[in-house]
Amino acid sequence: MEETKNFIEEIIDADLAEGKIEKIHTRFPPEPNGYLHIGHCKALAIDFGTAKKYGGLCNLRMDDTNPAKEDTEYVDAIKEDIHWLGFDWDDRFFYGSDYFDKDYEYAIELINKGLAYVCELTADQMEKYRGDLTHPATSPWRDRPIEESLDLFKRMKDGEFPDGKYTLRAKIDLASGNFWLRDPVIYRIKHMHHHRHGDKWCIYPTYDFAHPIQDALEGITHSLCSLEFEIHRPLYNWVIENVSVPHKPRQIEFARLNITNTVLSKRFLRLMVESGRVDGWDDPRMPTLCGLRRRGYTGASIVDFCSRVGVAKANSLVDIRLLEACIRDELNETAPRRIAILEPIKVIVDNYPDGKEEIFELPNHPQHPEMGTRKVKFTKEIFIDAEDFALVPPPKFFRLKPDGEVRLMGAYIVKCGDIVMNDDGSVKEIHCSADLETGNGNPVDGRKIKGTIHWLSQENAIDSDVVLYENLLTLEDPSKLPDDKEFTDYLNPDSKKIKRAKVEANLAEAKAGDKFQFVRLGYFCRDTKNENTFNSIVSLKDSKGK
Ligand code: ATP
Ligand code: MG
């Protein structure tokens, strides 16, 4: 089968064919001001994936140009998440701020070439002087002599002026239809401590000026980024053309990943954490990589998802069920089967001898005998799930009901007898009789038993918390947020429900992160933080329209 190439690969093929480049070199430039989310995985898969496919290299570069919010906690978490997804930067780990000296030199070069000048407009004035589509911007300091700009810029660097007093602006085109080219600010005065450079600098380059320089200094050939940077590309190219950098990288934009019922923005995710609406960045409901990992997603399933989404130039909204399908497909193959009873009701098998125990062997995976079996005990008192019993059964209810018969999975057929109620009208316990002759086979008299339910012997059950998760947001398309609403107006009140469940005793030995299929329920992962807790990962089937 002929492999189809995405549009980025087509550009790269052409660049290689024309001899513009010999070896692909990309980079992933996260800003260390929060944890990575699944949208970043798309960018990672494109940056690292494309480099790998072409036998090239990909750098990891912390974009810490802006001194405001960076934190080493985030740097470490970002590295951990990228490794977890299976990508590696080897020894090519950089900080954008490592190039501050170079940025400064290139700014001086621009001033010397008459391509940058020190401006005295305040932020408000600059807004006023911006012009509009029919009127060019005005800039009263544009013709400041080179010597004067050089002098002022050096004094800005030396800390002589307060924040906002001056800016350095690139001299490009005040009449450009692209507002980013109307003499954009490329340096600002900010008396701020930088987490890596302390108080060495009190002027900082803007992202639009620093980023192309960083790419060029690292020998990046293709600077792949999301679509919102498209409008900045002419400025990116202008910087590359006008300062004497050693390489000429090329920026290519791709569509951002958007997922139904999910907001992929660090600002919103931080708000959720800081307002206590979720239990931290790694809350299993969060679309962060650490949240998805804790929920029970594997790195491979998320990378698989990104490759199924593909690389396109136009923005689109991807159904979250596609992500769920990726982990379901993987766990269906790999997860050992176990039994959990989310809402236990006690069943007493009256005709089963007191104190007797029988052991049934259950397969760990029905399609993979090599995964072995486990021993499940049968005794007189067992648990079944409240959902598998109906006092007043609806039509076609094939589970346990008054006078009805049902098969206990892998064990006896039982018939419902006396039902003992609590004072509040709930079922306290159910008495049954077992067809002891039939054992695990079909009834000897040929009668048909339609339903099979799961069960656990009291002797083989331990208590455990099972946490059922749903989407955090009820708003399907986050781009359609009404003007008068906030995302927090759409929080799903049922996004987390804790069940005090009974689970197979052998699950006491499960390790944090171990994943299982709880039969007839779905896939679950042993939580990494809370003792004896399992997180729901995904249901057994796609519940379309639920
Ligand atoms: P956020 O909007 O969540 O704050 P960001 O773009 O500010 O994200 P960065 O740390 O700057 O976060 O992102 C690093 C890279 O990841 C950028 O190149 C950006 O284009 C890319 N990226 C971020 N979000 C997405 C997304 N939803 N889909 C694809 N790529 C993304
Ligand atoms: Mg960013």
Side-chain angles (χ1 to χ4, degrees), residues 24 53 56 107 148 152 249 274 308 418 439 508 536:
I24 298 299
K53 188 165 176 182
E148 215 177 288
L152 282 172
E274 287 175 356
R308 292 199 209 181
D418 289 342
S536 68

Side-chain angles (χ1 to χ4, degrees), residues 161-204:
F161 310 116
D163 289 6
K165 171 108 173 100
Y166 294 107
T167 55
L168 185 70
R169 294 176 70 178
K171 196 171 181 174
I172 308 180
D173 179 3
L174 291 176
S176 174
N178 182 338
F179 281 66
W180 295 101
L181 294 182
R182 293 189 172 189
D183 288 11
V185 171
I186 57 173
Y187 259 95
R188 283 181 218 288
I189 304 175
K190 278 189 200 172
H191 289 270
M192 272 178 94
H193 192 79
H194 190 279
H195 79 128
R196 300 195 71 239
H197 300 278
D199 297 317
K200 176 174 176 194
W201 296 92
C202 63
I203 54 169
Y204 290 97

Side-chain angles (χ1 to χ4, degrees), residues 28-31 37 39-40 43 226 229 254 256-257 264-266:
F28 176 69
E31 196 177 344
H37 53 62
H40 292 116
S226 43
F229 292 102
F254 53 83
R256 276 178 94 84
L257 177 66
L264 296 178
S265 125
K266 275 183 275 185

Side-chain angles (χ1 to χ4, degrees), residues 27-33 36-44 47 63 207 224-229 254-258 264-267 269:
R27 87 289 169 266
F28 176 69
E31 196 177 344
N33 62 350
L36 296 184
H37 53 62
I38 188 165
H40 292 116
C41 180
K42 176 172 180 183
L44 280 159
D47 294 333
D63 166 24
Y207 182 83
L224 312 173
C225 59
S226 43
L227 211 52
E228 70 272 23
F229 292 102
F254 53 83
R256 276 178 94 84
L257 177 66
N258 302 305
L264 296 178
S265 125
K266 275 183 275 185
R267 206 174 63 84
L269 298 178

